[in-house]
Amino acid sequence: MHRSVAYALLAAILFGASTPFAKMLVGAMSPLLLAGVLYLGSGVGLTLIRAARDRGWTPSGLSWREWPWFIGAILFGGALGPVALLFGLTHTSGAAASLLLNLEAVLTAVIAWVVFRENADRRIVLGMLAIVAGGAVLAWPSSAEDGSAGTWMGSLAVIAACLCWAIDNNLTRKVSTADALFVAGIKGLTAGSVNCALALSLGASLPAASTLAATLAVGFLGYGISLVMFVLALRGLGTARTGAYFSIAPFVGATVALLMLDESSTPSLWFAAALMAWGVWLHLTEHHEHEHEHEPLEHSHPHIHDAHHQHEHDDAWDGKAPHTHRHVHAPVIHTHAHFPDIHHRHPH
């Protein structure tokens, strides 16, 4: 559980820290082209790492039942979401959009709870609300200073982008047992290609080579490695909890901007930090235990032989080192502390 929490927090830190760097690059190219190059940095970098690791291109490991979920995640998260956000930003203020983007965590959790029946007790709900409230507090001062008013169309477009990414998060959970490098890399390549093609068709021009290289590097870390960590966190925490931890990204971004751009801190920054820290603490101290039933399950993911993995191997193996292969879980009923990970998606 703690390793999965570390993955989720690292994903938030990398994505949040990339925001001030991305802001520094905004003037160098159009927003749509910038989004495309950031995603391409993610997709190309992760694909090269996977090819080097596997010494060439290897199968994805996705079963035919998982491909529809993955294609849906690419469609909503890689294509529709960024386009909706871009449209929204052209019709509303940046500060208002930042405030509205906090809805992503809420919508992610609501879909996970209502549609996919993921478990959440009052402690988890309260923790998520505290983290989202911290993000709202963080965005509120700039919203108050900005007197511009966006149209209702712009606000609806930003909300639509949040809904697209919330759907993406829940669909990605369905394929979180697959190779995280493959999942994140293909999503980055798709989103990058779509956004870059759209930007160039609308007349955008490429920046200088040094700026292009810097943007690709920011995308690789802030969008690529971050997404790999997010997928790994989904395996152990489920969608709602991973989304809640990831919601600390705005605070990380504000803190990095404070250090890098020599901006002055405000009371709202520290109030937001306190709310988010409280929310994370509520999640870290959660204890969920009851008798539950595991139905027969077949999938593939890195694992060791523990209470949930007692299968036989055809070849000699010491049973200690993590390994990956397709395996079958026999039905079992037992009691232990658990989270809505890839082995505990039972109803409550």
Side-chain angles (χ1 to χ4, degrees), residues 4-5 7-13 102-110 112-113 118-121 123-135 169-170 230 233-234 237-252 272 275-284 286:
S4 298
V5 169
Y7 288 146
L9 293 177
L10 182 57
I13 290 170
N102 285 291
L103 289 173
E104 180 185 344
V106 178
L107 293 173
T108 295
V110 169
W113 296 334
E118 186 174 302
N119 169 257
D121 55 26
R123 192 179 192 86
I124 291 298
V125 174
L126 185 59
M128 188 204 71
L129 291 177
I131 294 172
V132 173
N169 293 337
N170 280 277
F230 189 89
L234 285 173
L237 297 176
T239 313
R241 290 163 177 80
T242 301
Y245 283 117
F246 192 76
S247 295
I248 71 167
F251 172 73
V252 174
L275 283 171
M276 291 180 173
W278 181 44
V280 170
W281 177 80
L282 286 171
H283 285 197
L284 285 173
E286 175 197 10

Side-chain angles (χ1 to χ4, degrees), residues 203-230:
S205 56
L206 293 174
S210 58
T211 302
L212 188 63
T215 308
L216 290 170
V218 172
F220 171 67
L221 293 172
Y223 289 68
I225 301 298
S226 174
L227 183 53
V228 171
M229 296 296 105
F230 189 89

Side-chain angles (χ1 to χ4, degrees), residues 125-195:
V125 174
L126 185 59
M128 188 204 71
L129 291 177
I131 294 172
V132 173
V137 169
L138 200 61
W140 190 262
S142 60
S143 180
E145 294 168 6
D146 189 350
S148 62
T151 65
W152 62 270
M153 291 180 59
S155 297
L156 285 179
V158 175
I159 294 173
C162 292
L163 179 60
C164 286
W165 285 320
I167 295 173
D168 169 28
N169 293 337
N170 280 277
L171 296 182
T172 299
R173 184 201 182 197
K174 290 288 189 178
V175 298
S176 59
T177 59
D179 185 358
L181 283 175
F182 173 82
V183 172
I186 294 300
K187 289 178 73 174
L189 286 175
T190 304
S193 300
V194 169
N195 289 334

